[in-house]
Amino acid sequence: GGKDINLSGIIKDLSELNPKIKQLKIYKVYPNEISISYELDKPIAVIKANEGYLFLSYQGKILQRSKNLQKDSKLTKINYYQKFDYLSNTTGSFIDFVDVKYSLSVLTKLKKYKNEVLSIDISRSSMIRFNLGDSIVIFTSEKPIDEQINKLEKIILQFKVEGNNFSLLDLRFDKPILKYK
């Protein structure tokens, strides 16, 4: 018989070579072939680094890096109060900052409700500002994210029903601050 194929080794190697791979399945097809199926992760946001841009998945994984950004890029831009180091933040690694992770969670929720988020400004962890073009949503990473997301969802749904819109929604306090259009 031939050598046994080390599937977990192949999965590890392929995942390390391709940070965009989200789900990878490998099946043995006897006698001596393997079949590979995979799903690719798409970036949902881009964060500015000192010498370029880091493209992030919704979990904060760096899927790719680039020295410049296409003008027509539809990705949400995250402006962070500190500059990330382009060289030390390699593809496949994660950005583990709480405020960045918060922002990506909220962004995922807003996208679910078809809200386009042009940019996210994180000027400090207590102030995360989402620019939706015609309105602004403000979060803090100093309070539980789920609480703030629940309030956000209720308000978005209420406005969809009423057909109104808000110009500002500030979720940093126990009672959200709302400014109407």
Side-chain angles (χ1 to χ4, degrees):
K3 276 182 135 170
D4 255 349
I5 302 168
N6 176 358
L7 290 186
S8 60
I10 294 173
I11 288 177
K12 189 173 170 289
D13 291 347
L14 283 174
S15 298
E16 279 173 14
L17 289 168
N18 302 287
K20 287 185 184 168
I21 290 179
K22 189 163 51 173
Q23 276 188 319
L24 181 63
K25 293 190 177 84
I26 298 186
Y27 310 93
K28 280 186 185 180
V29 183
Y30 289 98
N32 53 6
E33 291 176 13
I34 58 172
S35 163
I36 299 176
S37 74
Y38 60 89
E39 198 181 314
L40 290 181
D41 216 344
K42 290 189 177 72
I44 67 162
V46 58
I47 200 162
K48 180 112 177 70
N50 55 1
E51 297 173 32
Y53 296 88
L54 309 172
F55 294 77
L56 304 179
S57 78
Y58 72 99
Q59 295 164 311
K61 184 182 192 183
I62 301 171
L63 298 178
Q64 67 190 79
R65 301 183 309 166
S66 172
K67 290 288 186 191
N68 17 34
L69 196 59
Q70 290 173 325
K71 291 260 186 292
D72 59 355
S73 173
K74 287 271 184 277
L75 291 174
T76 300
K77 284 178 204 60
I78 299 177
N79 303 307
Y80 199 71
Y81 60 93
Q82 295 168 326
K83 280 274 187 284
F84 284 92
D85 183 44
Y86 187 80
L87 293 172
S88 63
N89 285 285
T90 52
T91 50
S93 62
F94 285 83
I95 288 189
D96 268 339
F97 292 58
V98 170
D99 42 12
V100 174
K101 286 184 146 171
Y102 252 51
S103 301
L104 295 168
S105 300
V106 175
L107 178 58
T108 308
K109 274 286 185 258
L110 285 166
K111 277 187 169 320
K112 185 183 140 190
Y113 291 107
K114 303 281 187 281
N115 285 305
E116 197 186 343
V117 180
L118 304 177
S119 61
I120 302 170
D121 295 302
I122 307 175
S123 46
R124 52 186 187 279
S125 58
S126 59
M127 172 107 172
I128 303 171
R129 201 168 162 271
F130 286 73
N131 174 3
L132 282 64
D134 55 358
S135 56
I136 300 289
V137 178
I138 302 174
F139 273 80
T140 174
S141 64
E142 291 170 355
K143 286 194 167 166
I145 180 99
D146 297 339
E147 231 169 74
Q148 296 174 83
I149 285 183
N150 289 341
K151 287 177 187 169
L152 173 72
E153 289 192 286
K154 281 193 184 110
I155 290 168
I156 287 179
L157 292 170
Q158 186 186 335
F159 274 95
K160 280 218 166 31
V161 169
E162 295 170 3
N164 292 342
N165 212 338
F166 57 85
S167 58
L168 175 84
L169 169 57
D170 192 336
L171 295 156
R172 291 175 297 168
F173 312 100
D174 293 333
K175 280 205 158 85
I177 296 171
L178 254 175
K179 286 192 179 144
Y180 292 84
K181 281 230 144 96

